[in-house]
Amino acid sequence: MGGNTPHCPFLLAMAGRSREKKQAAGAAIVRRAAKIIIEGGVPLQGTIRIKGAKNAALPILAATLLTDKEVALKEVPPLEDIKTMSLLLRQLGVEIHCDEQNNERYFVYAHRLHSFTAPPGPVRCMRASFLVAGPLLARLGRVRISRPGGCAIGTRPIDLHLKGLTAMGADFSLEDGFIMLEARRLRGEQIYLDYPSVGATENIMMAACLAEGTTVIENAAAEPEVVDLANFLNSLGARVFGAGTSVIRVEGVNALAGSSYTVIPDRIEAGTFMLAAAITGGSVLLQNVLPQHLKPLMAKLKETGMRVETPEGDKVLVEAPQRPQAVDIQTLPYPGFPTDLQPQAMAFLSTAQGASVITETVFEKRFRHVEELCRMGADIYV
């Protein structure tokens, strides 16, 4: 999209969705060049199937570096970040193919890694690229990687990643602007994270799979994407226990096997469409969801007067029978209200009766959309 595109949460959310989803939702959207034109006032109606979670697929793709056996992945969302990670892996020597009949199915074969240097291009343009550091260090004994690129919503330091990897025996140095980590073989260690960082938890957990001995990560992130990564690692033969709690234990093994694995549904995409149904006064049935991952949002929607039902185990129905009532929201690490749904929730609460208070505790620049919502008539101040 063009550089002058407003930061409207629902405009941005709808931009990347498929034509099928747009037609199912009933939204009148026309794309021309760098513009997206939305004709509002239409309640969203229909059924939508949620894609696989990007934030689960990216670390899982990085984790394929830990094994020299083939891995088949299903429900990988067709997004630019996935293409970026695929490019990075190919430049390291990984054979990675997307199924021609199904662009959400990937085959990954990392049996001939020819480089321990992560290409700086992908790393600097996508922060998730730094997740290859732990697997490369564990598999090859060394990794050379640049600092990851900046983040528009706030700072995301990598000190916790480095703290965990050096605690496990890696030697750390800076070399011509690159981070260099070396260890003949990592050793298990007890690591306490000052903050439950998702990326640091994932990087340390992946590296620990091939370390000697047992690694314990305390104050670990408990997000569903961390659990999905742990489940994938265990499908390869790793021994990861406690994912989803604040303490994760990893018993190192000598080698990992291949597997076939399905990525969990994207709770942020699901939440975005739930809020889209509510803000338009519509009725939308979401398929391929895990309702337990959406409990914070479901609770808040019910507080506003929206109808939220789970007719089946993998479905959620959202209906808006009335104008919403104001509620207060505070973003927190999982299982709290997700920061990635805060902009959409703010757009929704701009239509509510009464004043809502939204407190952002995760990213210091996560209110950049306020100005654009105010231009559209919202009454918001920071």
Side-chain angles (χ1 to χ4, degrees):
M1 295 194 301
N4 296 324
T5 304
H7 295 285
C8 169
F10 279 104
L11 188 154
L12 294 174
M14 296 299 290
R17 309 306 176 186
S18 67
R19 183 182 301 274
E20 175 186 354
K21 288 183 177 179
K22 294 168 189 172
Q23 291 173 343
I29 301 177
V30 180
R31 295 197 64 171
R32 295 190 184 93
K35 293 183 179 179
I36 301 171
I37 301 170
I38 301 177
E39 297 178 8
V42 180
L44 298 183
Q45 308 281 348
T47 299
I48 297 171
R49 188 179 190 280
I50 300 303
K51 300 283 188 182
K54 180 198 75 169
N55 289 336
L58 289 172
I60 286 174
L61 282 169
T64 61
L65 290 166
L66 291 167
T67 178
D68 61 0
K69 303 298 189 293
E70 187 176 61
V71 173
L73 299 176
K74 304 173 185 177
E75 298 289 345
V76 179
L79 300 171
E80 285 300 316
D81 282 359
I82 298 298
K83 293 180 182 178
T84 299
M85 181 63 82
S86 300
L87 173 63
L88 187 158
L89 294 177
R90 287 191 182 98
Q91 292 178 346
L92 291 171
V94 178
E95 296 178 21
I96 180 167
H97 305 285
C98 180
D99 192 328
E100 293 182 359
Q101 278 72 45
N102 181 357
N103 66 351
E104 297 177 35
R105 182 178 174 88
Y106 277 71
F107 300 94
V108 188
Y109 194 19
H111 64 124
R112 293 178 183 171
L113 298 180
H114 56 61
S115 176
F116 61 86
T117 300
V123 176
R124 288 172 181 162
C125 77
M126 186 181 71
R127 290 198 59 84
S129 298
F130 198 77
L131 290 172
V132 304
L136 282 176
L137 177 63
R139 172 92 179 270
L140 301 179
R142 55 182 174 169
V143 59
R144 185 170 179 264
I145 188 168
S146 63
R147 288 184 175 274
C151 186
I153 57 175
T155 57
R156 293 185 178 181
I158 57 171
D159 57 325
L160 294 180
H161 300 243
L162 300 177
K163 173 185 175 181
L165 296 174
T166 54
M168 295 167 67
D171 293 324
F172 164 73
S173 62
L174 292 174
E175 177 184 288
D176 298 327
F178 284 82
I179 294 169
M180 189 74 184
L181 292 164
E182 296 183 85
R184 179 167 296 180
R185 187 178 183 188
L186 295 170
R187 62 176 183 271
E189 187 57 78
Q190 187 158 335
I191 300 166
Y192 178 84
L193 298 180
D194 297 326
Y195 180 84
S197 162
V198 172
T201 299
E202 292 172 337
N203 236 337
I204 297 167
M205 184 168 64
M206 288 186 284
C209 289
L210 296 181
E212 183 178 4
T214 299
T215 299
V216 177
I217 308 171
E218 297 183 288
N219 198 29
E223 271 71 3
E225 294 79 15
V226 173
V227 177
D228 206 36
L229 174 61
N231 290 339
F232 169 70
L233 293 170
N234 287 338
S235 77
L236 301 178
R239 294 180 58 79
V240 181
F241 308 92
T245 74
S246 61
V247 180
I248 296 176
R249 188 176 87 256
V250 185
E251 298 175 1
V253 298
N254 291 324
L256 295 174
S259 78
S260 178
Y261 192 79
T262 301
V263 177
I264 59 171
D266 196 317
R267 61 192 172 105
I268 305 304
E269 179 182 339
T272 298
F273 280 108
M274 291 169 67
L275 285 160
I279 199 173
T280 61
S283 174
V284 174
L285 177 66
L286 287 75
Q287 297 178 335
N288 189 41
V289 296
L290 293 173
Q292 64 267 33
H293 295 168
L294 300 165
K295 285 183 177 180
L297 175 60
M298 293 168 66
K300 286 298 176 182
L301 284 174
K302 290 178 181 178
E303 281 185 47
T304 67
M306 301 300 102
R307 184 178 296 119
V308 182
E309 300 175 358
T310 52
E312 295 180 35
D314 64 344
K315 294 181 176 64
V316 172
L317 174 67
V318 179
E319 295 181 332
Q322 62 189 40
R323 182 182 175 186
Q325 299 295 314
V327 297
D328 294 344
I329 289 176
Q330 181 179 26
T331 65
L332 291 166
Y334 189 85
F337 194 93
T339 181
D340 288 348
L341 286 176
Q342 179 261 110
Q344 302 93 306
M346 183 180 290
F348 169 60
L349 291 176
S350 297
T351 70
Q353 185 173 358
S356 301
V357 177
I358 298 177
T359 305
E360 173 63 53
T361 73
V362 181
F363 292 115
E364 70 274 14
K365 297 181 181 178
R366 204 85 204 236
F367 284 153
R368 298 177 65 190
H369 49 278
V370 168
E371 180 181 354
E372 303 299 340
L373 288 173
C374 289
R375 289 178 60 196
M376 299 171 69
D379 184 7
I380 308 172
Y381 67 92
V382 178

